[in-house]
């Protein structure tokens, strides 16, 4: 432990450096937490695009079934026509003949109506099919985006955690320089505000944490490397590097 050889730091230097490390740790932790959120967001885009595509494909399938059913109905009507035409050979009166002619006409009319409906459904189906490539492209785009985020997050993960461990170790070591009142006040404010928010600069006579002006005595104390706590927000103040 070569700590004994570390040159003595002033209160301002020590607090400045402690704060720098607290902020660094805070940022690295935020980045680490952001990674799963980014992945979840990218996955949600894939899910949404896939759902839209599936709904479209289901709709097309449904229209196909509808066409198929209508075609069966047409065949049923055609079968009836053939049956009536068969019966025609056996009829003897004009009345019977007219009645069958009339039935056949009705069947043909029914077929015409259904065939028009089939054309309409086919048109709908073609319109839906034309939308498929765009939605497929959306799914592919979302998958590519996910892969990109995953590569970024994965590539950074090891580096991120090693930087975090390094900064935490550095902070721990630096905290050993704290003693007496400074140590107890530092521990109290860190507990109350969290490391990144526990300390702040005293800049041009103001606490940068709450924008409150410090007293002249506090300014003098800070310059003399004595402990200064903001009367308003309770944070530990230090002077910026000159
Ligand atoms: Zn303040």
């Amino acid at each position: 432990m070569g700590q004994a050889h570390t040159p003595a730091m002033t209160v301002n230097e020590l607090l400045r450096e402690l704060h720098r490390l607290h902020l660094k740790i805070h940022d690295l932790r935020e980045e680490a937490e952001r990674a799963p959120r980014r992945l979840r967001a990218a996955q949600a885009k894939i899910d949404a695009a896939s759902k839209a595509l599936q709904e479209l494909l289901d709709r097309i399938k449904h229209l196909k079934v509808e066409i198929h059913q209508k075609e069966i109905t047409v065949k049923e009507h055609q079968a009836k026509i053939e049956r009536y035409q068969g019966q025609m050979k056996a009829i003897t009166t004009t009345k019977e003949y007219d009645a069958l002619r009339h039935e056949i006409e009705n069947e043909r009319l029914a077929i015409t109506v259904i065939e028009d409906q089939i054309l309409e459904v086919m048109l709908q189906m073609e319109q839906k099919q034309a939308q498929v490539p765009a939605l497929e492209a959306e799914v592919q785009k979302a998958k590519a985006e996910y892969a990109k985020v995953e590569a970024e997050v994965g590539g950074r993960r090891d580096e991120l955690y090693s930087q975090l461990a390094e900064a935490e170790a550095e902070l721990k070591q630096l905290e050993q320089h704290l003693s007496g009142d400074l140590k107890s006040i530092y521990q109290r404010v860190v507990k109350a505000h969290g490391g990144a928010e526990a300390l702040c600069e005293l800049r041009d006579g103001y606490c940068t944490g709450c924008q409150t002006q410090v007293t002249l005595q506090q300014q003098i104390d800070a310059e003399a490397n004595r402990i200064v706590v903001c009367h308003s927000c309770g944070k530990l103040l230090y002077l910026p590097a000159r």
Side-chain angles (χ1 to χ4, degrees):
M1 305 282 232
Q3 273 177 35
H5 299 289
T6 314
M9 294 171 96
T10 66
V11 169
N12 280 308
E13 282 167 351
L14 181 55
L15 293 180
R16 198 184 299 144
E17 191 58 13
L18 284 166
H19 197 203
R20 185 186 70 78
L21 286 167
H22 274 299
L23 289 172
K24 188 176 178 182
I25 290 166
H26 177 263
D27 288 350
L28 290 169
R29 281 190 184 146
E30 263 204 341
E31 191 184 340
E33 282 164 19
R34 214 162 37 237
R37 278 205 301 274
R38 286 183 66 198
L39 281 173
R40 275 199 301 275
Q43 183 60 50
K45 277 186 187 165
I46 295 177
D47 293 347
S50 301
K51 188 169 175 263
L53 176 62
Q54 194 50 54
E55 279 169 2
L56 183 64
L57 293 176
D58 286 348
R59 181 80 192 118
I60 289 167
K61 206 169 149 189
H62 183 82
L63 291 173
K64 265 184 192 158
V65 169
E66 203 179 326
I67 290 168
H68 182 67
Q69 283 167 345
K70 286 186 189 299
E71 282 168 349
I72 288 173
T73 314
V74 168
K75 281 191 182 124
E76 285 167 359
H77 286 293
Q78 280 166 345
K80 273 190 188 171
I81 291 172
E82 278 166 33
R83 208 164 61 236
Y84 291 141
Q85 282 168 342
Q87 287 170 8
M88 268 191 174
K89 290 166 190 160
I91 56 172
T92 50
T93 67
T94 313
K95 200 181 163 192
E96 278 175 327
Y97 178 83
D98 286 345
L100 275 177
R101 288 291 317 166
H102 186 68
E103 289 299 336
I104 289 169
E105 270 313 304
N106 280 348
E107 293 302 320
R108 282 190 177 139
L109 198 65
I111 289 173
T112 310
V113 170
I114 298 164
E115 279 176 343
D116 283 349
Q117 288 172 352
I118 289 174
L119 282 177
E120 203 174 296
V121 177
M122 275 180 164
L123 197 69
Q124 272 183 47
M125 200 172 78
E126 276 167 23
Q127 283 168 348
K128 297 283 175 200
Q129 274 166 337
Q131 294 168 5
V132 171
L135 287 194
E136 279 174 344
E138 279 295 312
V139 173
Q140 288 315 309
K141 199 178 133 201
K143 282 182 178 169
E145 182 60 28
Y146 183 91
K148 202 178 128 203
V149 171
E150 198 178 34
E152 270 175 30
V153 165
R156 174 88 174 108
R157 192 179 293 128
D158 291 349
E159 190 194 2
L160 183 65
Y161 283 103
S162 89
Q163 281 180 355
L164 191 54
E166 202 176 294
E168 280 168 344
E170 213 180 323
L171 177 70
K172 214 166 204 172
Q173 179 160 356
L174 202 61
E175 282 174 339
Q176 317 238 322
H177 293 257
L178 291 161
S179 61
D181 284 349
L182 186 59
K183 186 177 180 178
S184 58
I185 291 168
Y186 169 86
Q187 285 173 339
R188 177 168 56 76
V189 292
V190 166
K191 202 180 168 195
H193 302 277
E197 293 291 318
L199 312 162
C200 66
E201 278 187 3
L202 196 178
R203 195 178 274 274
D204 302 325
Y206 282 84
C207 163
T208 53
C210 68
Q211 311 308 323
T212 300
Q213 195 169 18
V214 300
T215 64
L216 185 59
Q217 185 57 50
Q218 283 179 311
Q219 183 67 38
I220 292 165
D221 285 343
E223 275 160 21
N225 277 296
R226 287 191 288 263
I227 303 164
V228 179
V229 173
C230 175
H231 290 313
S232 176
C233 67
K235 293 180 183 180
L236 201 43
L237 302 181
Y238 62 89
L239 292 173
R242 284 167 210 276

